[in-house]
Each structure stands twice: as structure tokens, then as C-alpha cells.
Amino acid sequence: MDSQWLLVFADALLILHTMLVAFVILGLVATFAGYFLNWRWVRNFWFRLSHLAVIAVVVLQSWLGVLCPLTSWEMALRSKAGEAGYEGSFIQHWLQSILYYSAPEWVFILAYTVFGALVLASWFLVRPRR
């Protein structure tokens, strides 16, 4: 396959990954904002279940020390296209790139776990409806 197409697919994965991160973060913000602003859609069962499932996968991967498959796939495509990849997780890489912030792995595991606990707590504080 042409290296340009490999980079297009890698970029598409990067965009998908970014959208999933935004979904997790903004989903929690929307859930609590929606509670106070009486937005009915934030109690949608399928929205809330998918939100909880995505962060649960992130937390489990961090506990097991497993790199996200989207990150692995993106880096493999970039490598195959002859472009340099990056080390560590998606979040680590972009935080370091954007904010010049670097932290030990345990900080990210703790952050994912606390964020996951907040999402789980939102399930009980802002009850979803069928």
C-alpha cells in the first residue's frame, strides 16, 4: 500500500482517538451540567452506558499496562509509512507535545482511575433513564 494512504489511515485513527477522548471528557462535563440545567438527553441510557464503557476500557488498559489498540495501530501505520511514531500512551504523548508536561506512568493510571470513578459516580448521582 502506498505510504500516503497509510498516513491518511493513521491520521483518521488519530482523529477517531481524539473524538473518543473528547467524548469521555465532555460527556462527564455534559452529564453534570445537564443535571443542573435539566437537560433530559444526559439521562439517556445508551449515551451513559457507552460513556461508562469507554472510560472503563481506558482504566482497565492502564491498570494492565496495555497500550490502547488505537495508539498501537496508528503508530504501526506511521512506522510502515516511514514516519516516526511516538512512545507511551496517546494522552501522554499529546499532553507532552501540547503542554510540555511529562509525568510518571502512575500519574496517568491514577488520573484515569479517578476520572473513571467520577464517571461511575455520575451513573448514580445523575441516574440514566431508559
Side-chain angles (χ1 to χ4, degrees):
M1 182 180 281
D2 186 272
S3 65
Q4 187 164 350
W5 281 109
L6 293 171
L7 292 176
V8 167
F9 290 136
D11 289 343
L13 281 172
L14 175 65
I15 291 167
L16 173 65
H17 211 167
T18 303
M19 290 170 55
L20 282 171
V21 170
F23 172 67
V24 168
I25 294 169
L26 298 177
L28 183 62
V29 171
T31 297
F32 285 117
Y35 172 76
F36 292 108
L37 298 172
N38 292 317
W39 295 340
R40 292 182 56 192
W41 67 269
V42 299
R43 293 183 181 267
N44 178 281
F45 178 79
W46 296 109
F47 162 69
R48 298 294 296 286
L49 184 62
S50 61
H51 187 240
L52 184 60
V54 172
I55 191 62
V57 168
V58 170
V59 170
L60 184 61
Q61 287 173 344
S62 72
W63 287 350
L64 297 175
V66 175
L67 198 57
C68 176
L70 293 175
T71 301
S72 300
W73 194 11
E74 178 199 348
M75 291 190 308
L77 287 170
R78 291 192 189 287
S79 176
K80 193 170 183 178
E83 191 175 273
Y86 52 86
E87 291 187 24
S89 75
F90 175 82
I91 298 293
Q92 270 181 310
H93 172 73
W94 288 104
L95 272 179
Q96 188 170 359
S97 296
I98 295 169
L99 305 174
Y100 305 105
Y101 180 78
S102 185
E105 189 70 29
W106 69 267
V107 172
F108 292 96
I109 294 169
L110 179 64
Y112 297 150
T113 302
V114 168
F115 198 88
L118 287 172
V119 171
L120 183 60
S122 77
W123 186 271
F124 296 102
L125 296 171
V126 185
R127 303 285 297 172
R129 296 187 184 123
R130 289 221 178 228

